[in-house]
Amino acid sequence: MTTPSAADRPGSSGPGTEPLPRYGSGAAQSSGTLGRSGPAWSHRPGRNERPGRDERPGRDERPERNERPERNERPGRNDREDDDTGPVPIVGDRPAPPPRPADDLPASTDQPTSTAMPSPLEVGELATTERPAGGRAGRDLRAAIGVGVGLVAVIVASLFVWRPAFLAVLVTAILVAVVELTRALGAGRFSPPLVPLLLGTLVMEGLAWSRGPTGLVVGFLLTALAVVLWRLGHGPAGYLKDAASGVLVALYVPLLAGFAVLLLVPDDGAVRVLAFIATVIASDVGGYAAGVLFGKHAMAPSISPKKSWEGMAGSVVACMLMATPFVVLWLGGPWWSGLVFGAALAVSSTVGDLGESLIKRDLGIKDMGNLLPGHGGIMDRLDSLLPSAAVAYLLLSLLAPV
């Protein structure tokens, strides 16, 4: 494409062309020429000859913005002369607080102190169950001792005044424990049928008293069958878990308690029951004292943080000291029988305590009930006694037979 010459363009001053009056000044129009070569619009002091936007001192060249010191370069933050703690680390958009000088720390710095919040897991587990091993027990000690002494007085009086009275006390306690455990399982959306469990408890303890071990086993089988059939009337939704939890309650509470009834049946049954209960109490007291004084190594922190191996050793020693006079002197067992009986009941009572703690932790509750001040519910006092009753009956049948 060829560019037209200046002479061919309209409005030029070349030969044979008339000047364009509108583009010239007044002087140029009077003389007939524009007085300039080239197009008139290229010499106007117009938009193209003004200093453009790109020629102006731009935003990046202004000293009042981009030449100001940066936030981290301002004096008074990282360059303070009186700050001997070093530069402040930047966390996100804000600087982290400087570390505290050594002079401001507390006087006792044997262990580092942490201000971090505990994890939800730690909060949930320790708040709903027990404190860590070696810590003080979170209970009203005076109320616990008072209630414990009262229970022991009722047991001893019923045993040595009239043995069937102890049977009535035991059955009442088992019925309350069944109700507490059934309600506690409701927190985990289990609904074991309560009516057949209460009736089955009466049947099991009555047959154990009148028919011995065979009657106890038959009573348990009848109770389990009644639970399964009773639950059929509520439909299929949740049937399996409700029936299974009902059988668990029947096995855990009235069946194991039936072994205490079997201990009561012989003529020396009062001594046998007292030996079993006193040994379990010694396990609780010895474990508590040793755990508070010497407990450092947790036994099962995920189940019961306050249980320690030092407390377990205290339980074993206390049980041996308590069981030996009962088994050797009053029941006629060999000299070593008290040591075996005491050590076995220390293990069974600890297992029973851990088993109930596992159930409570799974259900997210602290106690099975609140009937006994300082202890919780009846079930919270039977947790160590129930498995120990079965172990005591089996061992005494071998070590000190009737």
Side-chain angles (χ1 to χ4, degrees):
M1 180 176 181
T2 59
T3 303
S5 63
D8 298 331
R9 293 175 184 173
S12 63
S13 57
T17 62
E18 295 293 334
L20 295 179
R22 61 174 182 172
Y23 292 113
S25 60
Q29 292 178 5
S30 61
S31 59
T33 60
L34 292 175
R36 292 190 181 97
S37 62
W41 61 78
S42 63
H43 296 281
R44 294 175 58 193
R47 181 177 300 178
N48 295 332
E49 296 183 4
R50 297 176 184 175
R53 181 176 298 179
D54 297 335
E55 299 177 2
R56 298 176 185 175
R59 183 175 299 178
D60 296 336
E61 299 177 3
R62 297 178 184 177
E64 62 273 9
R65 288 201 177 187
N66 294 333
E67 295 182 3
R68 288 187 295 179
E70 296 291 339
R71 177 180 297 180
N72 296 333
E73 298 176 359
R74 298 178 185 175
R77 291 200 176 190
N78 297 336
D79 299 331
R80 295 179 182 176
E81 298 179 358
D82 56 346
D83 189 2
D84 55 353
T85 59
V88 179
I90 302 301
V91 180
D93 296 332
R94 299 182 179 179
R100 297 173 60 186
D103 298 334
D104 295 337
L105 292 176
S108 58
T109 56
D110 297 335
Q111 297 180 354
T113 58
S114 175
T115 59
M117 294 296 293
S119 66
L121 179 61
E122 296 174 353
V123 172
E125 292 180 351
L126 298 182
T128 55
T129 53
E130 296 144 320
R131 296 186 179 183
R136 301 291 178 180
R139 70 168 78 176
D140 187 352
L141 194 57
R142 292 183 179 180
I145 293 176
V147 172
V149 171
L151 292 176
V152 170
V154 171
I155 291 172
V156 172
S158 61
L159 278 174
F160 291 96
V161 172
W162 191 42
R163 284 187 298 162
F166 173 77
L167 179 63
V169 172
L170 177 62
V171 171
T172 302
I174 297 305
L175 291 174
V176 175
V178 168
V179 174
E180 290 179 347
L181 183 56
T182 302
R183 291 179 178 176
L185 289 174
R189 297 182 180 180
F190 296 94
S191 298
L194 183 59
V195 174
L197 288 173
L198 295 177
L199 295 177
T201 298
L202 297 175
V203 171
M204 275 190 276
E205 310 312 329
L207 290 178
W209 174 258
S210 59
R211 300 298 178 180
T214 303
L216 178 61
V217 174
V218 171
F220 169 71
L221 294 178
L222 292 177
T223 303
L225 180 61
V227 167
V228 172
L229 294 178
W230 187 282
R231 181 57 184 78
L232 287 175
H234 297 278
Y239 173 81
L240 183 60
K241 66 176 184 179
D242 293 344
S245 61
V247 174
L248 173 64
V249 173
L251 186 152
Y252 185 29
V253 184
L255 177 63
L256 293 180
F259 287 96
V261 178
L262 297 178
L263 287 172
L264 187 64
V265 171
D267 294 336
D268 59 350
V271 178
R272 292 174 181 268
V273 172
L274 188 60
F276 142 66
I277 294 178
T279 304
V280 174
I281 293 175
S283 174
D284 291 341
V285 174
Y288 173 80
V292 169
L293 296 176
F294 310 107
K296 294 183 179 179
H297 302 86
M299 177 185 297
S302 62
I303 301 176
S304 181
K306 74 176 183 179
K307 291 290 184 184
S308 64
W309 288 106
E310 292 80 5
M312 179 64 189
S315 296
V316 173
V317 173
C319 287
M320 289 181 175
L321 294 177
M322 180 63 71
T324 300
F326 282 99
V327 179
V328 176
L329 299 179
W330 296 336
L331 296 177
W335 64 270
W336 49 267
S337 59
L339 302 179
V340 174
F341 185 79
L345 260 65
V347 174
S348 63
S349 61
T350 302
V351 171
D353 195 1
L354 290 176
E356 194 194 31
S357 297
L358 183 62
I359 294 175
K360 291 189 292 185
R361 189 174 295 278
D362 187 25
L363 297 176
I365 59 177
K366 179 175 176 56
D367 295 320
M368 291 291 185
N370 54 6
L371 184 62
L372 303 177
H375 292 269
I378 294 291
M379 190 63 198
D380 295 297
R381 290 298 88 207
L382 295 178
D383 55 356
S384 301
L385 292 168
L386 290 174
S388 298
V391 175
Y393 175 77
L394 295 175
L395 286 179
L396 290 180
S397 299
L398 298 175
L399 300 176
V402 179

